[in-house]
Amino acid sequence: MKTIKVLFLASEADPLVKVGGLGDVAGSLPPALRKLTPEKTGGVTLDVRTVIPFHSVVRKKITDAEFLFDFEVSAVDGPVKAQAYKTEANQVPIYLIAGELIGPDAPVYSSDAAIGGQTYIFFSVAVLEFIKILGWKPDILHANDWHTALSVYALKQRQDKEPFFKGIHSVLGVHNLPFMGAGSELALARFGLTPSRWPHLPWWAKDDPLPLGMQTADRIVAVSQTYAKEIMTPEFGCGLEGILKIRQKSVSGIVNGLDMDAWDPSKDQAIPINFDTSTISKRIENKIALTKEFALKPAPDTPLLILISRMDQQKGVDIAIEGLLQALKFNWQAILLGTGDPKLEEACRKLEADYPDRIRAAILFDTALSRRMYAGADILLMPSRYEPCGLAQMMAMRYGCVPLARATGGLQDTIVDFSYSQEKATGFLFKEPNAKAFSETIERALTVFHDQDQWQQIQFNGMRQDFSWEKSALQYVKLYREILK
């Protein structure tokens, strides 16, 4: 029986630290890989370990981490001291790297690009030094996003000089292409890493961590099949579509999974009434409770629309606001939840002020409230301009809330549009990122809503989807095996 050793690098990993979707992935994929049995993997077992920075927020949560050893990371201005610790979560060994550049009071992500660059390039280089001293040689170094992409580039440079690193293969997960680590050039120089000389890389990307990782990784994995194709186009490629086309045989897409136990309406303690497909008639009680919570008139027959999102242009919140205004002639209620861009927050507040009988704006971050919304609302709005994967649509479907989304990235890969197949439909999709297409799709969805038999079929289809991490993990095993061949 073969064991594949994988070191999973990330800037955050739930339950130790979670800021965004990457935290979900880094907290869920490694345990899903470790749980796979040889019967499912074709005779392979996975020894997956995770490594993240020892952020201040992690220090406050993990007070009993095992100290492993002190070590030094080479830099042109003298060695930088570092420390390695070990803990465990969800039966996955987790290494924690501390050091001078991972400050005791620093946030996970700095608003200063130069500080962020110093932190994560130090971390990326320190990880390589760490595994060399530890003596644990992974078969696969699986880095994620710009924060750890430099480890892949540094690995390539060290493989030519140091026998320990020969035979280690690399995977780079791309969760959000526009964030490339710009502003890292000083940190790159400090740790002795030369900018790329690859002629196909744009001049402005030659010292940005993500493009450097994309140049040198054995495989590049986008977090959905459609996003893997989209990033090869000018609309989504952020100026890197040229090198991605050159490397297209090494680019693939695997959609993220969902913790099916954590998101289960039959046992979720955060919602008023539990239900499943056999007791879906109980779901209406959650809707009534939700409308009362927001001082909206309880109206079981009136469609309740929700938006649960970071208030951001990427998420198309402006499209949602304008689209709802265009759809005012139809009968619906709406609740908008999220924080972010102050202008979009204010636009949501104005929408509530102008239409207090049917719209509410909750400008806050509240995970328990989001669960009550998924469990009680009829339609989730996701008009994203781009969406590498997306999790909200999967969560909504699990709870019988029908997603209405733009046909992009992971949204296109996880939602079956009603116009494509009425029998298999799990939601509604629109193509153009504008308010007109969005409002027309609202009209289409509301028409179907009033055919309750058809609507319930859409709900059942969504609730029965297999979004499990095991399904995604098996695809990663296949990828790892292909690389190791």
Side-chain angles (χ1 to χ4, degrees), residues 8 46 56 110 175 196 256 267 303 342 346 350 397 442:
F8 199 89
L46 281 296
S56 59
S110 174
H175 302 256
S196 172
N256 288 335
K267 57 186 180 183
E346 185 54 38
K350 186 177 187 304
M397 281 187 260
I442 289 179

Side-chain angles (χ1 to χ4, degrees), residues 157-427:
Q157 293 193 350
R158 295 185 72 167
Q159 281 178 329
D160 296 334
K161 306 169 187 174
E162 301 176 57
F164 176 82
F165 296 105
K166 291 185 185 296
I168 299 177
H169 299 268
S170 59
V171 172
L172 177 59
V174 178
H175 302 256
N176 206 339
L177 183 62
F179 298 91
M180 302 182 194
S184 300
E185 57 275 4
L186 291 177
L188 202 74
R190 181 180 181 185
F191 288 100
L193 295 164
T194 55
S196 172
R197 294 177 182 173
W198 194 35
H200 303 292
L201 204 63
W203 64 268
W204 52 264
K206 290 185 182 295
D207 47 20
D208 285 357
L210 187 62
L212 294 178
M214 292 169 73
Q215 172 192 330
T216 48
D218 291 316
R219 290 293 289 268
I220 300 166
V221 184
V223 288
S224 67
Q225 296 92 329
T226 295
Y227 193 55
K229 297 172 184 173
E230 288 177 338
I231 58 178
M232 295 189 199
T233 67
E235 183 182 356
F236 298 97
C238 303
L240 298 179
E241 60 274 7
I243 69 159
L244 285 163
K245 281 184 179 177
I246 290 170
R247 299 219 57 206
Q248 62 183 324
K249 289 184 179 179
S250 300
V251 180
S252 57
I254 299 175
V255 73
N256 288 335
L258 187 68
D259 187 329
M260 302 288 273
D261 290 325
W263 294 92
D264 184 347
S266 70
K267 57 186 180 183
D268 189 339
Q269 296 301 302
I271 67 178
I273 303 295
N274 295 114
F275 64 94
D276 56 24
T277 52
S278 66
T279 57
I280 198 167
S281 59
K282 292 182 179 180
R283 192 177 183 279
I284 195 68
E285 297 179 48
N286 290 319
K287 181 177 181 178
I288 292 169
L290 185 61
T291 51
K292 286 182 177 178
E293 180 178 350
F294 279 90
L296 287 167
K297 180 181 178 182
D301 295 331
T302 298
L304 178 59
L305 284 51
I306 57 169
L307 182 138
I308 300 173
S309 176
R310 185 173 75 250
M311 297 289 174
D312 190 275
Q313 288 287 318
Q314 178 218 324
K315 298 295 185 179
V317 175
D318 56 318
I319 294 172
I321 292 168
E322 181 59 33
L324 288 172
L325 288 171
Q326 291 184 19
L328 283 170
K329 60 185 176 181
F330 306 112
N331 184 33
W332 48 261
Q333 297 172 321
I335 301 170
L336 315 177
L337 171 67
T339 61
D341 184 334
K343 291 182 180 178
L344 291 173
E345 291 181 354
E346 185 54 38
C348 290
R349 289 192 184 98
K350 186 177 187 304
L351 206 59
E352 175 180 342
D354 291 345
Y355 303 96
D357 58 329
R358 61 193 301 188
I359 298 174
R360 293 289 181 270
I363 308 303
L364 62 138
F365 178 83
D366 189 328
T367 54
L369 173 57
S370 70
R371 287 174 178 267
R372 298 196 296 277
M373 290 170 68
Y374 289 132
D378 298 301
I379 298 173
L380 172 73
L381 307 175
M382 292 189 74
S384 303
R385 284 185 167 81
Y386 74 93
E387 194 66 63
C389 178
L391 290 175
Q393 78 278 15
M394 302 183 205
M395 296 167 180
M397 281 187 260
R398 284 283 284 163
Y399 285 65
C401 182
V402 176
L404 186 157
R406 183 167 178 233
T408 183
L411 302 178
Q412 183 169 316
D413 291 340
T414 55
I415 300 169
V416 179
D417 182 45
F418 182 77
S419 63
Y420 173 77
S421 170
Q422 294 187 16
E423 293 75 27
K424 298 179 181 178
T426 59

